[in-house]
Amino acid sequence: MIQCRQNFSFSRSLQLSSAISVLCILRRHPLVAGVDIAGHVERSDDPRFRPGDAVVVNGCGLSETHDGGYAEYARLKGEWVIPLPAGMDTADAMKLGTAGFTAALAI
């Protein structure tokens, strides 16, 4: 498991996809909303990630079957976590969000 500390200013802004998840997608209650997470690794049992690594998670059942990003910290499975590419910070990742990530995969 990976514990990630999130950037408040970006991960806590309400996006349409997160609003929809609160209204329609939640499959268990209680559940923390937020379909995107971007932040820095605080602790990791996964050898692929070290404290301080900038990471992002999109989808993976966040706000559906697993607690999402509207929290200061998130505990995440290593297979969900994607290291941010060089030159991209957590603010850029949250500007794209799940919608931008999905669009990029489509082209």
Side-chain angles (χ1 to χ4, degrees):
M1 291 298 266
I2 295 169
Q3 181 172 317
C4 177
R5 183 180 176 119
Q6 301 174 63
N7 288 8
F8 288 109
S9 56
F10 299 101
S11 65
R12 289 208 174 175
S13 62
L14 184 63
Q15 297 177 3
L16 178 60
S17 55
S18 293
I20 290 170
S21 75
V22 170
L23 298 173
C24 307
I25 300 174
L26 296 178
R27 295 179 192 246
R28 69 174 177 86
H29 300 286
L31 193 67
V32 176
V35 298
D36 303 309
I37 294 174
H40 293 87
V41 174
E42 289 271 320
R43 271 182 277 200
S44 176
D45 296 335
D46 190 314
R48 295 173 291 179
F49 301 98
R50 296 182 314 200
D53 287 349
V55 296
V56 65
V57 179
N58 296 102
C60 300
L62 298 178
S63 287
E64 182 180 356
T65 55
H66 303 285
D67 285 328
Y70 292 152
E72 183 176 359
Y73 290 94
R75 288 187 52 83
L76 308 162
K77 293 182 180 181
E79 55 269 15
W80 299 349
V81 179
I82 301 167
L84 286 179
M88 178 179 275
D89 60 19
T90 55
D92 292 334
M94 284 295 92
K95 288 174 191 169
L96 292 173
T98 297
F101 182 69
T102 303
L105 291 174
I107 20 185

